């Protein structure tokens, strides 16, 4: 039976990274603002949070990230220009981002890792469970991962992380979870976590992907977490502590995701995301798919 627990309403989106894999494009433009077809990647992430019922969004930013704030703010001059032209369609698209959610921002002045970025959210989140969505991971809107995670947290308490089975040779690119099965097919109990392990040290091929629903007890653990891999405060290390001692803040569960995910922090996957999403658009898809078939045929 689902216990009475606080309703999750807050989402935290760490967006302070430098985007070095996309240089020189990200020299002056935040990587989160790179377009995926005709919307910046970060808007897809905020939309996902809102669709899961999380309308209070805190973005953890850094230097040179002002365009993120501008994108989710009103642009009265542009709106008025579109209104005078009678361009209702584009006006609606411009206004959509500013009406999505209640947006808040805080700067991570010292880039000390994902765990430190999450800790920056403590004053805003308070003593409530909350979601963390990484801006590099786009989850297809037809595969409601975050909503499922919120539901599992409501049922079991504690924290919930998103997991995905990967080729064992790739596990060193991710946080890796040791798990036990439950009586629900897509839900596992997480008994341990290790950040980017060597293949021989990996307890499974379950990789942690960029969605978390966290108990606020994680803040106390993060305050005591020493820098780990890469000299950074790792969220994975804090979750390992919670998994090893459920009394600290409840158990840690994982939702095994088998849907569509795009890693827009990787240049190849970023391009694949654009192609796939463009192909599936009603307004762009038919012509684009025809061109793509012709292009591939000619190149082959």
């Amino acid at each position: 039976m689902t216990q009475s627990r606080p309703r999750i309403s807050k989402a935290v989106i760490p967006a302070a990274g430098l985007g070095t894999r996309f240089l020189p494009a990200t020299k002056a433009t935040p990587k989160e603002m790179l377009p995926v077809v005709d919307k910046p990647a970060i808007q897809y992430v905020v939309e996902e949070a809102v669709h899961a019922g999380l309308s209070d969004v805190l973005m953890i930013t850094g230097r040179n990230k002002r365009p993120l704030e501008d994108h989710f703010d009103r642009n009265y001059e542009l709106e008025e220009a579109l209104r005078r032209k009678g361009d209702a369609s584009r006006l609606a698209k411009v206004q959509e981002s500013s009406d999505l959610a209640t947006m808040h921002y805080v700067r991570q002045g010292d880039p000390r890792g994902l765990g430190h970025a999450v800790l920056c959210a403590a004053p805003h989140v308070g003593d409530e469970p909350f979601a963390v969505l990484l801006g590099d991971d786009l989850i297809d809107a037809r595969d409601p991962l975050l909503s499922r995670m919120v539901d599992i947290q409501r049922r079991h308490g504690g924290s919930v992380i998103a997991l995905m089975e990967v080729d064992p040779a790739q596990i060193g690119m991710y946080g890796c979870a040791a798990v036990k099965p439950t009586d629900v097919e897509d839900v596992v109990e997480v008994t341990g976590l290790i950040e980017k392990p060597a293949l021989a040290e990996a307890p499974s091929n379950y990789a942690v992907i960029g969605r978390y629903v966290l108990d606020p007890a994680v803040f106390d653990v993060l305050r005591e977490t020493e820098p780990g891999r890469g000299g950074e405060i790792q969220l994975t290390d804090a979750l390992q502590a919670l998994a090893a001692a459920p009394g600290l803040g409840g158990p840690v569960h994982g939702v095994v995701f088998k849907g569509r995910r795009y890693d827009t922090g990787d240049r190849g996957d970023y391009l694949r995301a654009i192609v796939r999403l463009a192909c599936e658009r009603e307004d762009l898809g038919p012509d684009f798919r025809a061109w793509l078939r012709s292009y591939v045929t000619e190149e082959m």
Side-chain angles (χ1 to χ4, degrees):
M1 180 181 296
T2 303
Q3 299 181 28
S4 176
R5 304 186 193 278
R7 186 179 74 87
I8 298 173
S9 62
K10 294 179 179 177
V12 175
I13 302 177
L18 297 175
T20 52
R21 286 183 287 180
F22 280 85
L23 287 170
T26 50
K27 179 180 177 181
T29 301
K31 64 175 181 176
E32 297 84 4
M33 289 300 297
L34 295 178
V36 179
V37 188
D38 53 4
K39 255 189 325 197
I42 194 67
Q43 185 169 331
Y44 289 90
V45 179
V46 174
E47 288 173 349
E48 180 187 351
V50 171
H51 292 160
L54 314 182
S55 57
D56 184 318
V57 177
L58 174 68
M59 204 167 288
I60 312 297
T61 67
R63 294 184 60 224
N64 302 323
K65 298 287 185 168
R66 180 61 186 271
L68 293 172
E69 299 184 34
D70 290 342
H71 179 72
F72 291 101
D73 200 358
R74 299 294 299 271
N75 187 327
Y76 292 102
E77 295 82 2
L78 177 58
E79 291 177 26
E80 182 57 30
L82 293 171
R83 193 174 287 111
R84 286 198 304 268
K85 291 181 178 180
D87 195 337
S89 175
R90 288 190 174 87
L91 176 60
K93 290 180 179 179
V94 167
Q95 292 176 329
E96 181 182 12
S97 59
S98 56
D99 295 335
L100 265 176
T102 302
M103 301 294 298
H104 308 270
Y105 304 89
V106 64
R107 280 196 174 192
Q108 182 187 18
D110 187 9
R112 296 167 56 196
L114 177 58
H116 180 258
V118 171
L119 189 54
C120 290
H124 180 79
V125 169
D127 192 27
E128 303 175 25
F130 64 104
V132 174
L133 299 86
L134 302 192
D136 285 346
D137 273 345
L138 299 192
I139 304 297
D140 196 293
R142 294 164 294 184
D143 301 313
L145 170 62
L146 188 58
S147 297
R148 177 65 172 153
M149 295 173 67
V150 168
D151 178 62
I152 295 303
Q153 199 280 337
R154 290 272 294 168
R155 290 175 181 272
H156 299 287
S159 297
V160 182
I161 63 178
L163 300 174
M164 181 180 68
E165 290 190 82
V166 301
D167 185 318
Q170 296 181 320
I171 197 64
M173 301 167 58
Y174 299 89
C176 176
V179 304
K180 294 195 304 186
T182 70
D183 56 1
V184 181
E185 182 180 1
D186 67 332
V187 178
V188 294
E189 181 183 347
V190 177
T191 59
L193 289 150
I194 182 171
E195 181 68 18
K196 297 181 178 177
L199 179 58
E201 300 173 352
S204 73
N205 68 326
Y206 284 103
V208 181
I209 59 174
R211 297 295 181 270
Y212 309 81
V213 178
L214 301 178
D215 186 276
V218 74
F219 293 131
D220 288 335
V221 178
L222 284 168
R223 291 185 184 100
E224 302 298 324
T225 300
E226 295 294 328
R229 189 177 182 91
E232 298 181 336
I233 298 174
Q234 299 289 349
L235 179 59
T236 302
D237 292 342
L239 289 168
Q240 159 63 22
L242 292 176
L248 286 176
V252 178
H253 285 88
V255 171
V256 181
F257 182 62
K258 297 183 179 180
R260 288 156 286 201
R261 166 186 174 262
Y262 315 107
D263 179 4
T264 58
D266 175 82
R267 289 174 298 174
D269 214 16
Y270 170 76
L271 294 173
R272 285 186 284 272
I274 293 173
V275 171
R276 177 174 289 184
L277 293 174
C279 284
E280 294 172 354
R281 287 266 296 260
E282 291 184 5
D283 56 337
L284 297 173
D287 288 343
F288 185 67
R289 288 194 301 270
W291 174 84
L292 193 59
R293 289 191 195 99
S294 174
Y295 175 77
V296 171
T297 300
E298 290 173 3
E299 289 298 306
M300 294 296 288

